[in-house]
Amino acid sequence: MIVHLGLDALEAHASEAHGKARQNASIEWHVTSPSTDGFWGLETTAVHKFQLSVRHKLFEKHATLEPVRMPSFRKLTLAEGIVSTGPGWFCPYVYSTHRQPLVSRINEISFVQLREPIIAADQILAFQLVGFFKSIFGRLISFVNPSPTFQPPKTPSTSRALVCIAGISPFRGLWSQGRRPDQCKMWFHIMNGVPGIAIPVVDSSPLLAWHGKDLGELEMQDLAEVVEYVSTLLDPAYQIDLSTLNAALECMIGNAIAGRKAAKKLDSDFDLDRTGILVIKYGTAAVTV
């Protein structure tokens, strides 16, 4: 499946669209007990691959990446440049959308996050990914529900984020092809044996964030660190039980680790060094997930 996003990635236009979406958004409510039943021990039998194409103006915006250190950090080095892996494994996406990543070197990293500049492509990509997990795979663990099951203590935000395992690879095998003068092209890879997780987040949460370890390095012992970071993004009005969130993330990470060898064999372009835990914000528009 090829997804073509024809966008003029102007920050002002994107912000305007962001504001209009918020005005038209409907309030969504949380699920009191999201279930991971049926998601444990899923086997990866296919890798869904889709092409991302984003048109953009001939200009650059600096994108400052914020290294986040959780108390349970591991010592990692965030290397500069789009060809490096490790904590910088998702940098090619930022670079390809004409946002020049400004990557500082730091030795203690749990997550890397991006707050600005905002472009509409990020939200459209997020909606596309949500659609894959919900409609195509039918494997979305959702902490969001349109049914008002309770009255929260304050009006909740309408911001949403998808937590998932996603991979990227260069168009035509070369990262230099991913950034043309007026359009970027690259591939995304999603494993059908790994569920995604939809969560309500505070409006101040980053546009994008990714875990410092790629899928080739990810271990179950990283679960506590991931839960700790994701919990900092949650909108407190929804009163999400952290033990339930822990179970959902454990299911996602466990299935990803179990399926990485199969995914590599199923798709020749699938790269463990360019695959990992992605948190992408989408939810200022009305959507039921």
Side-chain angles (χ1 to χ4, degrees):
M1 180 179 293
I2 297 178
V3 181
H4 183 85
L5 306 180
L7 300 170
D8 289 332
L10 293 172
E11 183 175 2
H13 290 181
S15 298
E16 181 182 357
H18 182 88
K20 288 181 179 178
R22 285 187 54 77
Q23 293 175 10
N24 297 329
S26 62
I27 296 297
E28 296 174 344
W29 306 80
H30 84 312
V31 176
T32 54
S33 299
S35 175
T36 57
D37 293 344
F39 294 114
W40 289 96
L42 288 175
E43 182 181 358
T44 294
T45 58
V47 175
H48 191 81
K49 177 180 178 181
F50 66 96
Q51 180 181 308
L52 174 73
S53 179
V54 181
R55 297 175 188 166
H56 52 69
K57 295 289 186 179
L58 296 178
F59 72 96
E60 289 187 359
K61 288 283 188 178
H62 287 305
T64 302
L65 302 182
E66 303 174 359
V68 179
R69 186 187 73 179
M70 306 307 294
S72 55
F73 70 87
R74 306 159 321 284
K75 289 188 176 181
L76 297 171
T77 300
L78 184 58
E80 297 185 29
I82 68 166
V83 296
S84 62
T85 53
W89 67 266
F90 198 66
C91 282
Y93 169 77
V94 180
Y95 180 80
S96 68
T97 53
H98 250 242
R99 290 173 291 184
Q100 181 66 41
L102 298 179
V103 185
S104 61
R105 291 185 178 275
I106 190 170
N107 293 325
E108 301 169 352
I109 299 172
S110 298
F111 276 81
V112 182
Q113 58 187 22
L114 170 67
R115 295 188 180 277
E116 58 181 17
I118 181 175
I119 64 172
D122 296 335
Q123 286 199 26
I124 295 176
L125 170 61
F127 276 110
Q128 187 70 31
L129 289 170
V130 169
F132 290 146
F133 285 104
K134 182 186 178 186
S135 303
I136 297 179
F137 294 162
R139 293 171 178 175
L140 182 70
I141 301 174
S142 177
F143 287 80
V144 188
N145 190 311
S147 301
T149 56
F150 81 116
Q151 182 64 44
K154 68 180 182 66
T155 302
S157 69
T158 55
S159 293
R160 300 287 177 259
L162 174 70
V163 185
C164 66
I165 301 290
I168 56 176
S169 63
F171 183 69
R172 293 181 178 174
L174 297 172
W175 283 118
S176 59
Q177 294 292 313
R179 185 174 179 173
R180 296 180 172 185
D182 62 347
Q183 185 175 179
C184 80
K185 286 187 177 182
M186 64 190 308
W187 295 99
F188 273 76
H189 306 257
I190 307 295
M191 304 159 66
N192 74 334
V194 183
I197 304 171
I199 58 173
V201 296
V202 293
D203 289 336
S204 60
S205 60
L207 302 172
L208 295 169
W210 61 88
H211 191 243
K213 279 189 175 182
D214 56 55
L215 184 55
E217 301 174 317
L218 193 64
E219 302 172 355
M220 284 307 302
Q221 67 184 38
D222 299 309
L223 174 63
E225 181 178 71
V226 177
V227 173
E228 188 173 8
Y229 174 75
V230 173
S231 65
T232 65
L233 307 178
L234 296 174
D235 186 335
Y238 290 83
Q239 304 174 2
I240 292 175
D241 180 42
L242 292 185
S243 64
T244 307
L245 178 65
N246 185 93
L249 289 168
E250 182 180 8
C251 177
M252 183 191 76
I253 293 174
N255 286 353
I257 292 175
R260 55 190 170 193
K261 289 184 179 179
K264 183 69 175 178
K265 292 180 180 179
L266 289 167
D267 188 345
S268 60
D269 295 331
F270 187 84
D271 187 352
L272 292 174
D273 293 339
R274 292 291 182 187
T275 304
I277 299 174
L278 174 66
V279 182
I280 182 167
K281 188 176 180 180
Y282 68 90
T284 52
V287 63
T288 301
V289 292

